[in-house]
Amino acid sequence: IPVDPFDLVIFGGTGDLARRKILPGLYRRYYDGQMPEEARIIGAARSEMDADGFRDFVRGALDEFVTKRHDKKMVDAFLAKLDYVAVDAKGTGGWDALAKTMRDGVVKAYYFSVGPALFGDIADRLHEHGITDDDARIVVEKPFGHNLETARALNATLAAHFDETQIYRIDHYLGKETVQNLMAVRFGNMLFEPLWNAQYVDHIQITVSETVGVGGRGEYYDKSGAMRDMVQNHLMQLLCLTAMEPPSRYDPDAVRDEKLKVIRALETTGHDDIVRGQYKSREESYLEDVDNPGSITESFIAMKVRIANWRWNGTPFYLRTGKRMKERVSEIVVRFKEPPHSIFEEDTGQSANELTIRLQPNEGMDLTVTIKEPGPGGMRLIDVPLDMTFAEALGEEAADVPDAYERLIMDVIRGNQTLFMRGDEVEAAWAWTDPIIEDWTRREDRPYPYEPGSTGPEEAMILMHRDRRRWRELR
Ligand code: NAD
């Protein structure tokens, strides 16, 4: 179903994120017929170029980043929807021209794909030039603040000109198909929710591991580290969706209220429950990649987190994320408890059920169940997976789902905020993160070294072994 006609302005339309994700995503939505003919996309950035120059830039981006659905006719038709205005966020140049370009009677959306230092300037200019209305939407990218104080300031800056219902804070993890499926599985079945609590769940693991290092983002990354760059936002969001109470409706505030309650119920994680790491070998090291020999910023973190409420009392959540790891994977593993009593004498293979929700790669779910090993050998038990890879279950085509960014941008045009973070959520997440970071700053805590391409420092394994548990193995 096509969305309503819109004018989408991409501030930073010539930047890396626009080139790799936003513009290719918009093309795919156009290709799939979700974008009405009247829709327009306006690049707005510092570079002096005209609309044709921007179209050439976007053509290059589509050639590079659109593999399936690349069709010359469709690309030309898509490019015809593009326009470009050179603006200076910090000055006056270009704003009158932008104001003239915007049409009345269509949805106005402004994507702030620029550094957060420019958010306030852009919001001010939009307001001064009267280019917004009560229905206009703004989309803001991460990082949303560096700590609670800066996040509050950023929220206040945006709130000066926009109502909370107009602000779309992107966390692209929330746009992933499987994340929405997590809610469908939890609240659309009778099978899981009754067991989804401390009485039946032994523990939950959330892993987001990357094989790449810090790449060209060294300077930025070294100032944030894994805790700020990944845990405070992406892992926290996954934790919330896994742990939250059933919302009364699938609507933005009902869902976000429940997520907020989870964040507020988090206990501060003590020093003993955190392992920080930095990749390091003779050939390759984090310190060289960020060009800061004395850096104590972590490129890996593993932690045991507790949620102080009735549902989860006694069930820990283990989070881990890192760069230069063995496998690129994002997944949530729900490990159920073992049956209270075994009736089988030859109790060789029996263990606990495990539900794995994979965000990438091969989006899908996997549930291990214990069965009898086939054959005449007596009552021997083995664990087998009930695999629910969507591509297999539904066919390749149905599993060819929109990328997170394209889905989220269409939600902005539709005015649906469910998969975006609310201001108070972001602040609550920082309020939990800040004291932990302050604690290790005070201690001048040094990360443990780990081999690039490994599963992280040995100490992260010990964090689990201590509790007689194991991380799901990275392959
Ligand atoms: P970039 O440096 O590649 O692009 C910046 C864009 O901003 C350019 O188009 C530039 O012309 C424009 N710009 C800079 N100063 C300006 C000014 N004064 N007036 C008008 N335009 C100006 O940055 P990026 O990597 O595309 O990142 C954009 C935002 O998205 C940042 O907030 C970043 O943290 C966030 N982000 C990026 C990625 C990514 O993969 N690149 C991922 C997640 C979040």
Side-chain angles (χ1 to χ4, degrees):
I1 310 162
V3 296
D4 289 338
F6 62 84
D7 277 355
L8 168 66
V9 178
I10 308 174
F11 292 108
T14 59
D16 176 62
L17 184 68
R19 193 172 70 87
R20 286 189 306 113
K21 294 286 182 188
I22 304 173
L23 291 158
L26 285 164
Y27 166 76
R28 284 189 289 264
R29 291 300 90 224
Y30 176 67
Y31 185 98
D32 283 356
Q34 221 174 29
M35 207 182 281
E37 281 307 329
E38 303 89 336
R40 278 193 325 162
I41 297 152
I42 301 146
R46 220 169 11 180
S47 332
E48 287 296 337
M49 61 166 88
D50 58 11
D52 280 337
F54 186 56
R55 289 188 190 115
D56 286 343
F57 166 81
V58 178
R59 191 187 291 280
L62 301 186
D63 286 347
E64 194 174 348
F65 297 106
V66 176
T67 42
K68 283 179 206 165
R69 304 181 173 101
H70 198 295
D71 173 279
K72 178 150 183 345
K73 257 204 191 130
M74 291 299 265
V75 169
D76 288 341
F78 176 74
L79 294 179
K81 303 188 164 308
L82 302 185
D83 202 347
Y84 183 81
V85 182
V87 295
D88 178 7
K90 291 208 166 285
T92 52
W95 290 93
D96 284 335
L98 182 62
K100 271 200 206 108
T101 308
M102 301 303 287
R103 296 172 298 175
D104 283 331
V106 297
V107 174
K108 294 186 183 67
Y110 299 96
Y111 199 126
F112 291 17
S113 181
V114 295
L118 296 180
F119 290 178
D121 292 303
I122 295 177
D124 286 343
R125 301 284 180 281
L126 287 173
H127 183 71
E128 283 161 21
H129 288 79
I131 327 182
T132 61
D133 51 44
D134 290 350
D135 190 42
R137 289 124 216 216
I138 59 170
V139 184
V140 294
E141 266 298 333
K142 83 172 215 188
F144 203 85
H146 185 71
N147 50 28
L148 178 57
E149 192 188 335
T150 47
R152 274 195 183 134
L154 207 46
N155 276 335
T157 303
L158 299 178
H161 300 308
F162 297 94
D163 189 70
E164 181 63 35
T165 56
Q166 298 179 278
I167 305 171
Y168 291 74
R169 295 176 194 78
I170 284 225
D171 183 323
H172 68 273
Y173 271 70
L174 292 182
K176 289 183 188 288
E177 182 74 11
T178 325
V179 167
Q180 287 155 279
N181 232 320
L182 171 60
M183 284 189 272
V185 164
R186 276 194 66 189
F187 307 127
N189 294 284
M190 199 53 211
L191 201 55
F192 298 106
E193 201 48 30
L195 308 180
W196 209 263
N197 56 53
Q199 198 180 343
Y200 298 104
V201 176
D202 178 69
H203 74 277
I204 289 173
Q205 303 181 11
I206 302 178
T207 301
V208 177
S209 61
E210 298 176 281
T211 51
V212 295
V214 296
R217 296 167 68 225
E219 204 188 316
Y220 158 76
Y221 191 90
D222 198 40
K223 290 196 194 90
S224 45
M227 183 72 161
R228 288 190 164 100
D229 191 50
M230 298 298 289
V231 177
Q232 186 273 345
N233 39 46
H234 306 317
L235 277 87
M236 179 69 73
Q237 289 295 323
L238 299 182
L239 178 138
C240 284
L241 293 172
T242 311
M244 71 183 182
E245 297 299 317
S248 56
R249 289 178 310 279
Y250 186 68
D251 97 357
D253 279 327
V255 171
R256 298 186 297 178
D257 286 347
E258 296 307 335
K259 281 160 56 193
L260 181 62
K261 283 188 214 160
V262 174
I263 305 176
R264 291 198 172 142
L266 288 176
E267 285 180 14
T268 302
T269 304
H271 191 247
D272 293 345
D273 287 335
I274 301 178
V275 174
R276 300 164 70 230
Q278 244 180 21
Y279 59 86
K280 184 178 192 268
S281 69
R282 214 176 301 162
E283 296 77 36
E284 188 188 357
S285 85
Y286 173 83
L287 298 179
E288 274 169 35
D289 286 355
V290 299
D291 198 16
N292 178 7
S295 171
I296 54 168
T297 304
E298 75 286 355
S299 63
F300 170 96
I301 187 165
M303 58 201 304
K304 178 178 172 182
V305 174
R306 291 187 185 81
I307 302 175
N309 64 17
W310 273 47
R311 184 186 285 259
W312 295 118
N313 180 40
T315 296
F317 284 64
Y318 298 89
L319 315 180
R320 72 175 157 169
T321 179
K323 295 206 174 280
R324 282 306 278 122
M325 307 264 295
K326 190 172 176 184
E327 186 188 3
R328 175 170 177 259
V329 63
S330 303
E331 65 179 17
I332 301 164
V333 178
V334 181
R335 172 121 182 144
F336 291 90
K337 290 189 174 169
E338 288 180 14
H341 162 73
S342 176
I343 64 167
F344 307 107
E345 274 182 15
E346 271 187 82
D347 190 5
T348 44
Q350 184 180 21
S351 61
N353 301 111
E354 223 171 65
L355 176 69
T356 304
I357 299 138
R358 269 190 320 270
L359 281 65
Q360 67 187 23
N362 310 326
E363 296 202 324
M365 276 179 237
D366 185 326
L367 178 69
T368 60
V369 290
T370 302
I371 61 163
K372 176 190 168 299
E373 188 176 49
M379 199 60 182
R380 284 176 63 89
L381 305 182
I382 50 166
D383 289 339
V384 294
L386 283 180
D387 190 349
M388 295 174 273
T389 307
F390 300 145
E392 279 171 27
L394 308 171
E396 286 290 340
E397 216 158 281
D400 182 15
V401 295
D403 167 62
Y405 274 95
E406 40 194 285
R407 177 195 311 271
L408 292 173
I409 298 171
M410 290 298 111
D411 276 358
V412 173
I413 307 297
R414 287 192 200 97
N416 185 345
Q417 289 185 303
T418 310
L419 300 175
F420 296 83
M421 295 180 293
R422 211 167 52 191
D424 52 1
E425 261 184 271
V426 175
E427 289 184 15
W430 280 121
W432 176 75
T433 315
D434 276 2
I436 299 173
I437 297 178
E438 278 158 21
D439 179 57
W440 68 57
T441 309
R442 206 167 29 241
R443 293 167 188 266
E444 294 180 26
D445 188 61
R446 298 204 157 268
Y448 296 103
Y450 64 95
E451 194 68 30
S454 72
T455 56
E458 186 63 27
E459 285 74 8
M461 299 295 148
I462 298 171
L463 179 77
M464 278 288 206
H465 291 170
R466 214 176 57 178
D467 296 344
R468 298 175 191 281
R469 294 180 174 122
R470 273 187 293 126
W471 291 108
R472 201 206 46 92
E473 224 171 290
L474 297 182
R475 283 181 265 268

